Amino acid sequence: MSRKSIRRFPRGLIVLHWLTLLLLVAVYATMELRGMFPRGSASREAIKTAHYFLGISVFALTWLRLGLRLAGGTPPITPRPPRWQSALAVAVALALYGLLLAMPVIGYLLLNAEGTAPSIGGLQLPRLIAENAALAESLEGWHERIADAGYWLVGLHALAAIYHHHVRHDDALLRMSLRR
Ligand code: HEM
Ligand code: HEM
């Protein structure tokens, strides 16, 4: 199959897909690595603020992405995969979009329930819900559990891409490639 004959995702969606991957790596890294900085230190506060900012950016970009996605369709995969694989791909894509939208909301509300709201670059964001310690704890549990599920989901998604490219030899991955 020549590169020219591949029908790709629209350029904007491809850029947003890979940008989201980079942002997510940073969002996870900021929290997974926060233990390296002493509690209460300025560097620990800075890394937490980076987490909030990056997470909110993911939220905004995902809405933009969904807008572009709904305006156009998805290009077909050649050769066409079996029906069950297409159904699984849709289910995983929906779960990934759900993760990208739900995590920032839960994170934001969790901070509100703890009695704070993020302040980013001097801009104090509003508190949307009142302080509530029990709710904060429950939301923190969900934020953590869904973050863990995210590793599995993204792992499955990336494995599927490798399987399509190297085992089925179809153009699923090339459709998402930045290279012309
Ligand atoms: C795609 C978006 C996001 C992802 C994938 C994500 C992921 C994570 C992860 C992996 C942790 C560490 C959980 C643990 O303790 O093991 C965490 C903690 C946390 N996240 Fe997020 N997060 C996202 C967005 C946000 C946003 C937008 C906010 C707030 C504006 C936020 C607030 C928090 C808070 C307050 C914690 C707990 C921090 C602490 O223990 O001191 N997150 N997040
Ligand atoms: C780790 C490397 C990754 C690879 C190799 C990869 C590869 C791909 C490929 C080949 C597609 C097209 C699949 C299809 O047409 O069904 C795709 C779509 C998609 N990817 Fe990824 N991806 C990766 C990471 C991520 C991450 C981190 C996220 C977000 C959490 C993500 C979210 C999505 C979504 C939501 C779609 C569906 C696009 C749509 O049809 O609207 N991907 N990815």
Side-chain angles (χ1 to χ4, degrees):
M1 193 179 340
S2 86
R3 273 192 167 269
K4 286 253 174 327
S5 66
I6 295 162
R7 287 178 58 194
R8 292 162 196 266
F9 280 88
R11 184 86 182 152
L13 276 180
I14 297 178
V15 170
L16 284 171
H17 176 269
W18 296 112
L19 178 62
T20 303
L21 168 62
L22 293 180
L23 285 172
L24 264 199
V25 169
V27 167
Y28 273 98
T30 45
M31 273 305 162
E32 299 291 7
L33 301 179
R34 71 188 183 287
M36 289 167 57
F37 305 94
R39 268 178 199 278
S41 64
S43 43
R44 180 140 168 160
E45 284 317 301
I47 206 162
K48 277 161 69 173
T49 303
H51 180 78
Y52 308 151
F53 173 70
L54 293 164
I56 292 170
S57 309
V58 166
F59 183 72
L61 289 177
T62 302
W63 283 111
L64 175 63
R65 193 168 157 191
L66 279 174
L68 288 175
R69 172 69 173 78
L70 294 175
T74 40
I77 296 176
T78 314
R80 191 186 279 274
R83 215 177 247 275
W84 69 267
Q85 278 181 18
S86 308
L88 187 61
V90 170
V92 172
L94 283 177
L96 286 169
Y97 281 127
L99 174 103
L100 298 174
L101 292 177
M103 283 300 284
V105 172
I106 297 173
Y108 195 96
L109 295 180
L110 129 68
L111 279 181
N112 289 178
E114 282 179 346
T116 59
S119 166
I120 290 166
L123 177 70
Q124 177 61 55
L125 299 180
R127 275 208 239 163
L128 304 177
I129 56 169
E131 193 168 347
N132 179 335
L135 180 64
E137 201 173 319
S138 153
L139 289 176
E140 195 166 343
W142 281 107
H143 198 72
E144 242 184 88
R145 281 192 287 275
I146 301 176
D148 287 346
Y151 281 122
W152 290 97
L153 211 53
V154 171
L156 176 67
H157 174 73
L159 271 181
I162 293 168
Y163 164 78
H164 278 273
H165 194 68
H166 289 292
V167 180
R168 286 199 81 241
H169 301 293
D170 64 24
D171 63 358
L173 181 59
L174 294 174
R175 285 149 63 249
M176 202 42 112
S177 159
L178 279 165
R179 276 201 312 164
R180 291 279 104 183

